[in-house]
Amino acid sequence: MSKHYETVIIFSPILSDEDLKKSVTKYTKLLSDHGANIVEERNWGLKQLAYPIQNKSNGIYYIIEFTAPGNSISKVEVEFRRDENILRFLTTALDKYAVEYNEKRRQGLVGKGKKTTETSQEVAS
Amino acid sequence: MSSGKKEIKFLTQQKQIKRPKKYCRFKKTGIKYIDYKETEFLLKFINEQGKMLPRRITGNSLKYQRKVSQAVKRARHLALLPYVTDLLK
């Protein structure tokens, strides 16, 4: 019984491109070994961090969305922890609304229209 | 003669401030999932120091205020949002 998950990984900025590709393919292979199938991968590239992590001020964000059996997540996360050029990672389970939201985003429906529909009266100050 | 106590006449007319009725924006627009990666949307729910706004200001219902706070905390963990800052906007 596989559930939807999404991991966001922040790689250290000194990682060159092919190193990034190498480690990403390593992790995706590891994921598929544990019976996951990758739904989508997105590379946000180098981004400014809101606060320095391990006194680096920017990092490479990489997002993997996949479906996997529950028990494989902890095994993969052990690998994440072992890797030094991963600054931080976060695995979240996606409920049905999240999955539908990601589907919509892939078809480009989410954007100015649905999410940020700002009614005229601004409540939050 | 109606009892005097109830009808207290003020010198100046008591101005009724008509405050706009607060509503939960998630129920109105039908948003079901709050993505923690969308920072410009989450910025609406935090103040200049990066602290989360209370429900009485944002007007969110309890269910969605919790989802917002969880999304903000996840964004902070991933350094998409700062924990504390000044003049964020």
Side-chain angles (χ1 to χ4, degrees), chain A residues 11 17 20 42-48 58-62:
Chain A
F11 288 99
D17 246 356
L20 179 74
R42 274 186 299 156
N43 183 357
W44 278 1
L46 205 61
K47 233 170 97 81
Q48 189 71 20
N58 38 36
I60 303 170
Y61 281 79
Y62 201 86

Side-chain angles (χ1 to χ4, degrees), chain B residues 12-68:
Chain B
T12 64
Q13 184 46 8
Q14 188 71 16
K15 195 163 61 58
Q16 277 294 339
I17 40 160
K18 182 72 198 70
R19 199 175 39 71
K21 179 77 187 68
K22 276 212 177 82
Y23 60 91
C24 172
R25 63 170 65 205
F26 296 101
K27 279 202 192 115
K28 191 162 268 213
T29 55
I31 300 171
K32 282 278 191 296
Y33 171 66
I34 301 164
D35 197 358
Y36 57 90
K37 302 189 287 300
E38 275 201 38
T39 47
E40 83 280 350
F41 182 65
L42 291 180
L43 281 180
K44 294 183 177 37
F45 300 105
I46 55 178
N47 65 4
E48 289 77 31
Q49 281 101 21
K51 290 154 74 172
M52 278 187 270
L53 291 173
R55 214 151 69 88
R56 55 186 165 79
I57 307 267
T58 58
N60 290 343
S61 62
L62 181 59
K63 175 178 171 183
Y64 288 103
Q65 177 72 10
R66 284 195 183 131
K67 287 188 192 236
V68 163

